[in-house]
Amino acid sequence: MNALAIRNELTDRQATALTVFGEARRERLVGQHAVAWVIRNRTLHPRRFGDGWKGVCLRPSQFSCWYEWGGPSNYAAVMAAALQLVDGASPSPGSALARALQVADDVMGGVAPDPTGGADHYFAPKAMVPPGRVPAWAQGQTPTVVIDAHRFYRLVA
C-alpha cells in the first residue's frame, strides 16, 4: 500500500496519534499533549488549517513528520506505524505508538488540559536546519510556553 492510500485510510484518532508520534514521541507526556493540543486548536480554524483532526494533521507542509524532507528516518517510522494501524494491528503496550494513541484519546476526549495557552503553532529549534534557526512565522513572536524541545505560539486570534 502506498503512502497516499495509507493516509486515506486513517481515522481522525489515528492521524492525530501518528502526528504526535512523529513530532514528539521522545518528549515527556506533557510535550506530547501539547502537540495534540496544537492540532485541536487548529481544528477551530478549518479555513486556515484544514477540516477536522485528520484534515489538520495531513494539511500540506504543516507537520514535518508526514514528509521525507522532515527527516527520512522519522517519516519511515511514521509510515510504518500508520500501516500497522491501518492493517488493524495493535501497538505493543507501553510503546511510543500506544502512548501516542492514548494522548490522542486524552485530548480528543477533553480529558487532558491545554498546556500550551491556546497555541496553534510550534517548532523545535534543534530540529531546524541549521539547528537553532527560527522560522519566519515565529520571528518577533513570543512563545506562549516552552515545553521540552518545542516552543509554542498562538498566532491566530
Side-chain angles (χ1 to χ4, degrees):
M1 187 178 298
N2 69 31
L4 181 59
I6 292 169
R7 289 178 191 191
N8 286 338
E9 294 294 319
L10 295 173
T11 65
D12 285 340
R13 175 185 185 242
Q14 291 169 336
T16 301
L18 289 162
T19 303
V20 169
F21 174 83
E23 297 285 319
R25 71 180 169 274
R26 292 179 183 92
E27 304 297 328
R28 294 177 300 142
L29 191 58
V30 66
Q32 293 179 24
H33 278 118
V35 168
W37 268 98
V38 166
I39 297 165
R40 185 250 180 226
N41 291 336
R42 286 182 174 199
T43 67
L44 302 176
H45 304 280
R47 291 181 128 179
R48 180 160 182 185
F49 295 115
D51 191 27
W53 294 83
K54 178 179 171 179
V56 166
C57 292
L58 299 179
R59 180 89 175 219
S61 300
Q62 296 300 300
F63 295 98
S64 63
C65 67
W66 291 104
Y67 300 93
E68 286 189 89
W69 54 257
S73 62
N74 190 44
Y75 172 75
V78 169
M79 294 311 297
L83 183 58
Q84 178 183 351
L85 293 178
V86 167
D87 283 346
S90 295
S92 302
S95 68
L97 182 56
R99 285 190 307 277
L101 286 162
Q102 185 60 56
V103 166
D105 290 343
D106 291 348
V107 173
M108 294 174 84
V111 175
D114 183 355
T116 72
D120 46 47
H121 286 73
Y122 66 88
F123 78 98
K126 290 180 183 177
M128 300 301 293
V129 178
R133 183 179 72 84
V134 175
W137 60 260
Q139 292 177 6
Q141 302 293 326
T142 301
T144 57
V145 68
V146 175
I147 300 172
D148 296 331
H150 294 92
R151 294 180 187 171
F152 293 85
Y153 299 81
R154 183 176 182 161
L155 303 181
V156 178

